[in-house]
Amino acid sequence: MATARQGKAESQIATSKGEAIADLMLETAQFFFRIRAVGQRTGLITSWGGGAFGFMRSLALLGPLTVPQIAQMRPTSRQRMQRLADELAAEGLVELIDNPRHRRSKLVSLTPKGEAHYREMNARLLAIASTMGAGLSEADIRNTVEIVRRLSDEAKER
């Protein structure tokens, strides 16, 4: 009898936890669309879409990368990242440079114009972000980031 009660209690906890994660997923999706709308109004999301900022951020933080490396870091195709690299190169924001490790797969690198553009977009993002979450502590926000990151990694594995 104790085993049946334990099983039911564990099932209720699992269901409750599952519901909480489902709520988090749905709220995160809704937050994403609201963030995207703010990004479009403020120019953070351009005609290239939100991917341009993330693409440039990867290069700013990690240095030159190949298109396949950038695609592996995102839930998108190599072809989409290649188109984005080509569009950014046409604007003079990135350049394709020789890759000492691979003759055919060029490295994508920020140009000085691209670095300046990235810094400007990042400053705008930080200005917007710093006006949000007034009632939240930095520790709560960082804990939330870690939780979302862990769940994102787990979803990526599926």
Side-chain angles (χ1 to χ4, degrees):
M1 185 99 123
T3 338
R5 277 191 218 142
Q6 281 179 327
K8 186 175 181 183
E10 288 173 4
S11 175
Q12 288 174 333
I13 291 169
T15 300
S16 178
K17 182 178 176 182
E19 288 173 356
I21 289 176
D23 285 346
L24 177 61
M25 294 164 114
L26 296 170
E27 287 297 326
T28 301
Q30 186 174 45
F31 186 43
F32 164 78
F33 288 112
R34 289 178 177 163
I35 292 167
R36 187 172 66 177
V38 169
Q40 289 168 335
R41 283 193 305 272
T42 60
L44 282 169
I45 297 178
T46 65
S47 60
W48 307 308
F53 178 76
F55 189 102
M56 294 173 69
R57 182 174 189 268
S58 294
L59 298 176
L61 296 177
L62 302 172
L65 298 165
T66 64
V67 169
Q69 287 172 323
I70 296 167
Q72 286 175 344
M73 297 161 66
R74 292 171 166 63
T76 191
S77 69
R78 185 201 58 75
Q79 293 83 355
R80 168 69 182 122
M81 290 297 97
Q82 185 63 60
R83 281 193 304 273
L84 189 52
D86 293 342
E87 291 170 6
L88 293 171
E91 293 291 321
L93 300 173
V94 301
E95 61 184 344
L96 300 176
I97 58 175
D98 287 334
N99 182 351
R101 294 188 179 151
H102 196 284
R103 273 192 270 187
R104 288 185 11 207
S105 189
K106 299 276 189 184
L107 291 169
V108 183
S109 178
L110 287 175
T111 63
K113 178 181 175 183
E115 288 176 16
H117 187 68
Y118 168 75
R119 283 193 306 272
E120 177 188 323
M121 288 194 309
N122 195 52
R124 275 193 269 161
L125 174 64
L126 290 175
I128 292 166
S130 66
T131 65
M132 299 177 70
L136 301 171
S137 73
E138 182 180 347
D140 286 342
I141 293 167
R142 292 200 184 278
N143 188 44
T144 302
V145 168
E146 182 57 29
I147 290 168
V148 171
R149 183 177 292 129
R150 287 171 46 196
L151 289 171
S152 178
D153 288 347
E154 191 174 319
K156 183 178 176 181
E157 294 170 6
R158 294 174 183 246

